[in-house]
Amino acid sequence: MYLATTGRRDAPPRPAGARRRVPGTVLVLGTVSLVTDVSSEMVTAVLPLYLVLGLGLSPLQFGLLDGLTTGATALVRLLGGVGADRGGRHKQVAGLGYALSACSRLGLLLAGGATGWIAGALTVDRLGKGVRTAPRDALITLHSPPEDLGRAFGTHRAMDTTGALLGPLAAFALLWATAETYETVFAVSFCVGAFGVLVWLLLVPGRPKDPGRPGDPGEPRHSGEPRHSGGQQDPARPRDDRDTRPKAPAAPRARGVLLTVPRSPAYRRIVLCAALLGAATVGDSFLYLLLQRRLDLDATWFPFLPLGAAAVYLLLAVPAGRLADRIGRRRPLLYGHGALLLAYGLLLAPVSGAAALVGVLVLLGVFYAATDGVLMALTGPFLTGGRQAGGLAVVQTAQALARLGAAVAFGAVWTASGPETALVAALLALAAALVCAARLLPAGPTREGSST
């Protein structure tokens, strides 16, 4: 039996055949993410050109700068998650993250080409992203029925990806219209980001209050278990220990330290599998570089390669989430990594350049659609009340750090033995990680309330 520990726990059963709607809060969160991603991707798309061609940084300097800011994101995820769980301040902590990212665009505008100030502005942007991610995903979990989490996360990720598609297009349109004036891009990006913060402040609700008994927030219960008002004993059920044990005050349950989050064996297995699969995941930039080498693609078109994968992700995010709700979230997560495995193989296979280009971009889109939101939807129901943001942050951090290590290892093998050898090693590592994950991942809930 599946333990329903998140989402709306006092809602009446939905009639059979009734149409399921995405909660309004999820749509608002998706709108904020869409607007914010337009802002951030405007900068991300032009930043390599600005730093390397405009300011004359070497590729090594740019790589070190990117690595520094990416590391900062991983380190603050945990702090953002734990801080949001303390007192249920998910909206406040995530809002701070969105505000930091918006202000970083203003920092780029005022930096005036000074590398140190640019590095500081980029670090602030990454810090903001790290702070907001777990509290935002916790709000999606808290405001969605547990059996519909896959659809909720899929909808949010689709809206987020829409922003990721629009951002680069807007940036290059501005560069074309202003004769490559990067300051215009930064200024417009700041205005768009500030609008996203305003939408967050005005429309996003805070953490919903638990309708359970005072002093006993987030108490796990079996799905379908009736809730009784007033804390009275159900006359149809025998008396059990739950009615006589001391009630813990609400504050300590929400103020625990980070290490108290992973309590259940199922949750621990999810964290382990996220790290294993992340350690075998080659960064997108390396795959795009391999495609560019294979196709001898002009550098002008290189920034548009991610748009192909993002378009597939956008189309499949919601269907993948709905499928995960129907059949369980474990299998789509494994299938998604299987698609990435096929992308590795396609880059090694003797196929035409056009087939490799289309195939790899489609498979990358399938990978993200079947794994990004689905992993959060799989994790959420295993977290007790008051621990959602911290628990999700642990999974995200384990995955991010593992992927960072995988990128370093892949780059080292590429430098020492060539790209083909590095890709073969990555393919074998991912195959092994998939076998382990297939045995370790717990089954998630289906819409019928049973595990798969």
Side-chain angles (χ1 to χ4, degrees):
M1 185 67 74
Y2 162 62
L3 296 180
T5 60
T6 59
R8 295 193 303 250
R9 294 161 37 182
D10 61 337
R14 187 183 283 106
R19 183 175 181 180
R20 297 173 182 271
R21 296 183 177 180
V22 177
T25 299
V26 175
L27 296 178
V28 174
L29 293 171
T31 300
V32 175
S33 292
L34 188 157
V35 173
T36 302
D37 251 37
V38 170
S39 172
S40 63
E41 292 301 324
M42 286 177 66
V43 174
T44 301
V46 304
L47 201 60
L49 300 176
Y50 176 64
L51 294 178
V52 176
L53 300 182
L55 300 183
L57 267 66
S58 69
L60 177 59
Q61 289 173 315
F62 175 71
L64 291 174
L65 186 60
D66 185 66
L68 172 66
T69 55
T70 301
T73 304
L75 291 176
V76 298
R77 283 184 194 269
L78 299 177
L79 296 178
V82 174
D85 281 338
R86 297 194 175 197
R89 297 191 293 265
H90 300 89
K91 177 178 180 178
Q92 292 86 340
V93 173
L96 173 63
Y98 281 109
L100 286 173
S101 293
C103 291
S104 71
R105 324 282 192 252
L106 188 61
L108 287 173
L109 183 61
L110 300 177
T115 306
W117 285 99
I118 291 174
L122 294 178
T123 301
V124 169
D125 175 49
R126 297 294 184 173
L127 289 174
K129 181 177 177 62
V131 165
R132 71 177 182 254
T133 301
R136 181 205 62 204
D137 286 350
L139 283 173
I140 296 174
T141 301
L142 289 165
H143 286 275
S144 305
E147 68 274 13
D148 286 340
L149 277 177
R151 180 175 180 175
F153 274 102
T155 300
H156 175 270
R157 296 312 196 251
M159 297 178 73
D160 184 89
T161 306
T162 302
L165 279 169
L166 296 176
L169 297 177
F172 286 111
L174 283 172
L175 287 179
W176 175 79
T178 61
E180 298 188 359
T181 305
Y182 293 99
E183 288 76 10
T184 303
V185 176
F186 299 151
V188 174
S189 174
F190 168 70
C191 294
V192 175
F195 176 71
V197 175
L198 182 63
V199 173
W200 179 275
L201 293 175
L202 295 179
L203 299 181
V204 174
R207 184 175 183 268
K209 295 182 179 180
D210 185 13
R213 283 174 282 185
D216 194 18
E219 182 68 26
R221 67 182 182 95
H222 293 293
S223 61
E225 178 184 338
R227 179 176 294 279
H228 305 286
S229 60
Q232 297 181 1
Q233 175 70 25
D234 182 1
R237 292 180 54 195
R239 186 177 182 86
D240 57 22
D241 294 337
R242 188 172 53 185
D243 295 322
T244 58
R245 67 187 180 187
K247 302 299 187 296
R253 291 180 64 88
R255 292 174 59 85
V257 297
L258 180 64
L259 294 179
T260 65
V261 173
R263 291 179 177 177
S264 72
Y267 173 79
R268 292 170 185 256
R269 294 201 301 271
I270 292 174
V271 175
L272 176 60
C273 290
L276 284 174
L277 293 169
T281 301
V282 175
D284 297 351
S285 297
F286 284 116
L287 297 184
Y288 297 142
L289 284 172
L290 289 169
L291 279 175
Q292 193 271 338
R293 285 167 54 93
R294 181 165 181 166
L295 299 172
D296 195 22
L297 195 66
D298 188 87
T300 305
W301 298 101
F302 183 81
F304 292 96
L305 287 178
L307 298 183
V312 177
Y313 182 12
L314 172 62
L315 293 174
L316 297 182
V318 175
R322 296 177 65 181
L323 179 65
D325 289 335
R326 186 173 296 112
I327 69 173
R329 290 140 197 171
R330 174 179 174 274
R331 282 188 283 172
L333 187 65
L334 295 174
Y335 296 157
H337 283 88
L340 183 63
L341 188 70
L342 291 177
Y344 294 173
L346 193 58
L347 284 169
L348 293 168
V351 298
S352 66
L357 173 65
V358 175
V360 169
L361 294 182
V362 169
L363 289 170
L364 269 180
V366 172
F367 163 66
Y368 281 112
T371 60
D372 187 12
V374 172
L375 177 59
M376 297 297 100
L378 174 64
T379 307
F382 293 101
L383 301 174
T384 55
R387 305 291 184 190
Q388 284 85 1
L392 294 175
V394 170
V395 175
Q396 293 165 353
T397 301
Q399 184 184 61
L401 292 178
R403 286 181 174 178
L404 182 61
V408 173
F410 187 86
V413 176
W414 183 336
T415 302
S417 304
E420 290 77 14
T421 302
L423 197 55
V424 169
L427 187 148
L428 295 176
L430 182 56
L434 269 172
V435 172
C436 294
R439 298 180 62 88
L440 293 175
L441 275 175
T446 62
R447 282 182 174 171
E448 287 72 27
S450 60
S451 60
T452 58

